[in-house]
Amino acid sequence: KTPLFIAVDSELAGIIAVADQIKASSLETVEKLHSLGLEVVMLTGDNKKTAQVIAEQLSIDKVVSEVLPEDKANEIKKLQAQGKKVAMVGDGINDAPALVNAEVGIAMGKGTDVAMDVAQITLMGDDFRTLPEALQLSRRTVRMIWENLFWAFIYNIVCIPLAAGVLYIFGIDWQITPSWASALMAFSSVSVVLNSLRLKLMK
């Protein structure tokens, strides 16, 4: 817990100990992030002991505690200096500089407008379980782009020489005519679109 000291006339009158309640979905989210091969770091202004207890309960890999708001961006830079790609999740005004410095800034939908303005991704609501889903969707999207590029290059690598009459070298009197080229180009475009629509199957 984080202690709050109460003084009356400069004399200690009492201590109130407060603690954030861990959301039920937090542990599930961290486990999913680990399954994606990601390292999870908690960056917090809380005291070291409090942060360590929370980290142990959630199986978080690394804890950086007692960080002042203005130093969060520097902590992001330290991770980047170690050769790591950083995705920062935050919801407050104090998180904005760190969100800007990270490779990917992710804001929570119920956070401040400033955080959402500077982040590249905004998760709707405050359910952390959408975080690994967003990362999985991003990975699949990038993979889909590479697949589409691959097939586009294959079509061109194969069809352009055929249209130029490369088979004549081997004594075959055949080449792709303009009408066939138009049909193949249409098929190429349709196949790319259909491949991309597979993303809609992701739940």
Side-chain angles (χ1 to χ4, degrees):
K1 296 179 174 61
T2 300
L4 306 177
F5 298 91
I6 302 169
V8 177
D9 296 328
S10 300
E11 294 291 330
L12 181 64
I15 301 174
I16 298 176
V18 297
D20 290 326
Q21 293 296 315
I22 299 176
K23 293 183 179 180
S25 60
S26 297
L27 179 58
E28 177 186 347
T29 300
V30 173
E31 289 175 346
K32 284 185 177 180
L33 292 173
H34 283 151
S35 70
L36 293 174
L38 301 174
E39 178 185 6
V40 181
V41 179
M42 183 168 70
L43 187 62
T44 178
D46 284 338
N47 68 68
K48 186 175 181 179
K49 183 177 288 187
T50 301
Q52 194 62 47
V53 169
I54 299 295
E56 289 174 0
Q57 292 177 4
L58 296 178
S59 300
I60 290 174
D61 302 303
K62 181 179 179 181
V63 181
V64 183
S65 57
E66 300 177 357
V67 180
L68 296 175
E70 58 269 23
D71 291 334
K72 285 187 176 181
N74 293 330
E75 293 297 331
I76 296 294
K77 291 178 181 178
K78 288 179 182 178
L79 291 171
Q80 291 168 331
Q82 298 171 18
K84 297 177 180 178
K85 302 293 184 183
V86 181
M88 166 72 184
V89 184
D91 61 0
I93 295 175
N94 295 332
D95 296 322
L99 290 170
V100 171
N101 279 277
E103 272 79 10
V104 180
I106 304 172
M108 302 305 296
K110 292 189 176 181
T112 62
D113 290 339
V114 173
M116 288 187 283
D117 284 342
V118 300
Q120 289 93 351
I121 298 174
T122 297
L123 302 177
M124 302 306 293
D126 60 351
D127 189 349
F128 273 109
R129 286 176 293 190
T130 57
L131 175 58
E133 293 173 3
L135 293 172
Q136 285 178 304
L137 178 60
S138 299
R139 287 182 173 183
R140 290 193 184 186
T141 301
V142 172
R143 189 187 315 136
M144 200 72 68
I145 290 171
W146 282 109
E147 287 177 5
N148 290 340
L149 283 172
F150 171 79
W151 287 113
F153 277 114
I154 289 296
Y155 281 127
N156 285 283
I157 290 171
V158 172
C159 293
I160 289 176
L162 291 175
V166 70
L167 293 179
Y168 285 103
I169 299 173
F170 305 100
I172 301 174
D173 185 15
W174 186 85
Q175 67 182 125
I176 295 178
T177 62
S179 58
W180 270 103
S182 299
L184 289 170
M185 182 58 71
F187 177 75
S188 171
S189 299
V190 170
S191 64
V192 165
V193 171
L194 291 176
N195 190 41
S196 299
L197 286 175
R198 289 195 299 124
L199 285 172
K200 293 177 69 66
L201 300 175
M202 182 178 175
K203 301 298 182 182

